[in-house]
Amino acid sequence: MSKKYFLRLYNLILGTYLRKGMLFLNKYLMTPGPVPVSTEVSLAGARALIGHRGREFSALFSGIETKLSRLLRSGGCTVIFPSSGTGALESLAVNFTGPGTKVISVSCGVFGDRFREITALTGAEMINVDVTPGEGVQPAVVADAVKANPGASVLLLTQNETATGVFNRLDEIIAALPKDNRPLVLADGVSSIGAMPCFPEAWGIDGLAFASQKGLLTPPGLGLVWLSKRGWDAVSKRKCPSYYFDLSRQKKDLEREAPENPYTPPVSLYFALDAALDAVLADGWLELRARAARAFAAGLEALGFTLLVKDAKFRSPGVTAFYHPSGATKEIEKNLKGLGIEPAGGQGELKDRLLRISHYHDVRWPEITLALGGLYAALGDENRKGSGDFMRAAFEAWEAK
Ligand code: PMP
């Protein structure tokens, strides 16, 4: 390209940005995954690579396993796949289900539907239980489905339905199940682990799938799977039709004196996860997530927004879903993006009708004011008139702890 054309192009791009006032616009990522990653985690991920067949990698892997065990309060191991959360869900499906398996699938939104869809592909017979999006799963509904289907050997649950911001109480659901002949409980913890309590061994979960890019505060790319003793016994009796996602094959390498991965692991992401787990394991982290969610919700309501999840017990500590009763939600989303704040919209049947803002990462009072202040500006003149003292409402909820 000649110098003249280069300068013209340069001026055109610069002019466009300046007109839009975007040149130095800070970006604030508020989607429920990926979530912003701290400098410590980014720097850990940028470390020089090491080989994955050696003592140094094994030490890194062991350290991560120890931290995950502390997080989940379990003695078992966690398999780590180079995949997103969907891969972790698929590994549960292919290792536990197939033709001849009867599966009860409880869904309250898009991601419950996805777990169901993945499992149905194995040829399993599906019994579907649907809960209205925005509502939490009631333990009695699941217990009734299990009692009505004694031949079902697997139960699928979602701890946090990201599409609606519903946080299901898996401990209460599992405690209400019949004690005899209980199906194996497989849970989607993709958008809960790290930000919400989940103690699979104590609660009776048999297979738990999760991922790096939400509550674990790490870039996307790791799918994790934890199994109970009962879960490992069940998969060891089956021949897994997948080579890559075969959990028994993974376990063999994990249980070596120096643990390894059967295939090349994304070493940089292991470094990043190792650093991120220190933040997640800090005292009071889970309480802080719930506190931020409560303060944000109080501010939203004072601004005139409606929260999708009506029952506060089921509101997610990681992501809040809301809309504006005027019907201007899509417009508000656009305005917010113009300010450099990136929320997520609705999914599935809630597309264009919902806004979702996450608080998985280190969201405290300053970050809450940023999100609420951005929304105040994004409301537009008409809708702003109906808003109340949102800062006071949020601050009172924040101080209430
Ligand atoms: N389950 C839940 C609850 C999720 O939130 C997501 C991602 N938003 C997934 C599954 C799928 O995970 P991934 O996009 O990492 O494949």
Side-chain angles (χ1 to χ4, degrees), residues 96-107:
F96 282 91
T97 75
T101 319
K102 225 176 177 182
V103 178
I104 300 173
S105 151
V106 183
S107 171

Side-chain angles (χ1 to χ4, degrees), residues 259-374:
E260 282 191 357
N261 193 301
Y263 328 110
T264 311
V267 176
S268 304
L269 286 175
Y270 279 55
F271 279 134
L273 176 63
D274 188 42
L277 281 167
D278 292 337
V280 172
L281 286 166
D283 279 349
W285 179 253
L286 296 184
E287 291 74 15
L288 193 55
R289 294 303 96 241
R291 184 180 168 199
R294 280 196 299 273
F296 185 53
L300 284 176
E301 291 194 302
L303 275 172
F305 287 100
T306 307
L307 300 171
L308 181 70
V309 184
K310 303 287 175 271
D311 185 343
K313 172 178 175 174
F314 291 109
R315 284 185 195 145
S316 168
V319 54
T320 300
F322 54 99
Y323 56 92
H324 201 273
S326 65
T329 306
K330 190 73 199 159
E331 186 66 23
I332 294 169
E333 180 183 347
K334 205 177 122 224
N335 294 343
L336 202 58
K337 284 183 175 162
L339 294 169
I341 297 177
E342 192 182 341
Q347 288 175 299
E349 61 189 50
L350 294 165
K351 191 171 179 331
D352 294 343
R353 293 198 281 133
L354 207 61
L355 264 169
R356 291 175 301 144
I357 286 194
S358 92
H359 19 84
Y360 284 101
H361 59 293
D362 199 3
V363 171
R364 299 180 197 228
W365 179 246
E367 291 77 16
I368 293 166
T369 63
L370 175 75
L372 291 174

Side-chain angles (χ1 to χ4, degrees), residues 68 80 93 100 159 185 197 218 223 238 303 306 317 337 342 370 381:
L68 288 171
I80 306 179
Q159 186 174 22
V185 177
T218 302
R238 300 180 76 252
L303 275 172
T306 307
K337 284 183 175 162
E342 192 182 341
L370 175 75
D381 290 343

Side-chain angles (χ1 to χ4, degrees), residues 32 84-87 89 111 114 158 160-162 188 190-191 211 213-214:
S84 72
T86 305
L89 292 175
F111 292 104
R114 183 182 296 184
T158 308
N160 186 78
E161 177 49 75
T162 327
D188 175 341
V190 172
S191 66
Q213 79 274 21
K214 300 179 199 277

